[in-house]
Amino acid sequence: MNRFPLRALRERDWKYIRNLDSGGKYHSHVDKGREGTDGREYWDSWALKAKTDPAAAAVVKRYFHRPAEELYDLKADPWEQKNLATDPHQQDRLKRMRVEVLKWMLEQGDQGLATEQRIWQERTKKVK
């Protein structure tokens, strides 16, 4: 259940994330867990608050929907709350890190989402 296909590059003070299924909806044990479990109670309180509180609604939206790319200045933003991928001042860094990830993927024969889907299908066959 806790899967969302991505590739990432971490440097000392920076993190780049390429979300391979940015059009998809993220789920985990937190929002899909059984009722009555600690994680589910926590999630349900956020979902309820999101109905009337714009800040909570933004948190819930951010949880479910991931942008195609994320870039974080870990020194200034260790909790990764401010995505700098669209910041004009960070475009050179974004492009450099994007190229590094793509180069690594090519070296590995990684076709991104197609690779993830193939792996998922193989794993589910073994479980059955």
Side-chain angles (χ1 to χ4, degrees), residues 9-10 13-17 70-72 74 80 97:
L9 174 63
R10 168 74 192 262
D13 294 327
W14 291 90
K15 182 193 262 185
Y16 167 77
I17 302 170
E70 299 174 65
L71 180 68
Y72 298 103
L74 301 174
E80 301 175 17
M97 294 180 86

Side-chain angles (χ1 to χ4, degrees), residues 89-101:
H89 297 101
Q90 298 301 330
Q91 291 310 294
D92 288 342
R93 182 185 315 278
L94 177 73
K95 288 176 187 173
R96 180 182 55 76
M97 294 180 86
R98 179 190 297 140
V99 166
E100 285 189 50
V101 168

Side-chain angles (χ1 to χ4, degrees), residues 78-93:
W79 300 107
E80 301 175 17
Q81 297 298 300
K82 184 167 175 47
N83 182 1
L84 300 173
T86 59
D87 183 335
H89 297 101
Q90 298 301 330
Q91 291 310 294
D92 288 342
R93 182 185 315 278

Side-chain angles (χ1 to χ4, degrees), residues 57-118:
V59 169
V60 169
K61 181 180 178 184
R62 183 174 186 242
Y63 173 84
F64 283 128
H65 302 285
R66 309 296 167 99
E69 294 182 301
E70 299 174 65
L71 180 68
Y72 298 103
D73 178 347
L74 301 174
K75 194 171 189 180
D77 178 21
W79 300 107
E80 301 175 17
Q81 297 298 300
K82 184 167 175 47
N83 182 1
L84 300 173
T86 59
D87 183 335
H89 297 101
Q90 298 301 330
Q91 291 310 294
D92 288 342
R93 182 185 315 278
L94 177 73
K95 288 176 187 173
R96 180 182 55 76
M97 294 180 86
R98 179 190 297 140
V99 166
E100 285 189 50
V101 168
L102 288 172
K103 181 182 171 193
W104 180 86
M105 289 174 68
L106 287 170
E107 289 170 357
Q108 303 304 313
D110 184 344
Q111 297 173 330
L113 191 54
T115 298
E116 291 286 329
Q117 290 169 337
R118 189 172 54 252

Side-chain angles (χ1 to χ4, degrees), residues 27-53 56-57 59-60 63-64:
H27 291 286
S28 76
H29 65 285
V30 174
D31 68 297
K32 290 288 191 181
R34 291 182 324 217
E35 289 190 31
T37 60
D38 289 339
R40 181 62 188 265
E41 288 177 16
Y42 171 80
W43 174 257
D44 288 346
S45 70
W46 273 99
L48 182 62
K49 190 170 184 174
K51 293 179 181 179
T52 58
D53 182 335
V59 169
V60 169
Y63 173 84
F64 283 128

